[in-house]
Amino acid sequence: MSSGSSGRYQSRLFNFVHQQSRRVTQQWEHTYRHLQVATKWGVEVLLYPVYLLFQSSESSGKTLHTKEPQTRLKLQPNDTDFQPETLQILIVRFKMY
């Protein structure tokens, strides 16, 4: 046996068995992680329509039981909201930086 052999053990057989054992363990861990992700995504895909069904039934139930119509807030138009000159000034200032 050469003194420069790379491995944990001096025996080539033990090094081979150790290397194969590590390789199989890593492959199993990799496969297990992929199986976990695939299972999680599969369950999410299957349960999402059920979630949407409950969400739509809850929202329709809430709208049916309200006695007052819901008022939506609307923004009042403002003369200073947006002006092209303001945009040009901002563009020039940002180009400086």
Side-chain angles (χ1 to χ4, degrees), residues 22 47 52 57-58 60 62 81 83 95:
R22 287 188 53 147
L47 290 180
L52 288 178
S57 67
E58 283 182 13
S60 65
K62 287 180 183 176
D81 278 347
Q83 295 179 1
K95 285 185 180 178

Side-chain angles (χ1 to χ4, degrees), residues 3-70:
S3 61
S5 66
S6 62
R8 184 174 181 158
Y9 304 105
Q10 289 181 355
S11 168
R12 279 191 255 162
L13 176 65
F14 283 170
N15 282 329
F16 176 76
V17 170
H18 177 66
Q19 182 182 15
Q20 294 302 316
S21 169
R22 287 188 53 147
R23 184 175 298 151
V24 168
T25 303
Q26 289 174 349
Q27 286 176 347
W28 276 108
E29 289 173 350
H30 183 75
T31 302
Y32 180 70
R33 283 192 302 269
H34 279 268
L35 183 64
Q36 279 182 319
V37 170
T39 302
K40 181 181 176 186
W41 286 8
V43 168
E44 288 176 358
V45 165
L46 292 174
L47 290 180
Y48 188 67
V50 176
Y51 168 76
L52 288 178
L53 182 67
F54 281 118
Q55 285 297 102
S56 65
S57 67
E58 283 182 13
S59 65
S60 65
K62 287 180 183 176
T63 55
L64 291 177
H65 296 309
T66 57
K67 294 180 182 175
E68 300 175 1
Q70 293 180 345

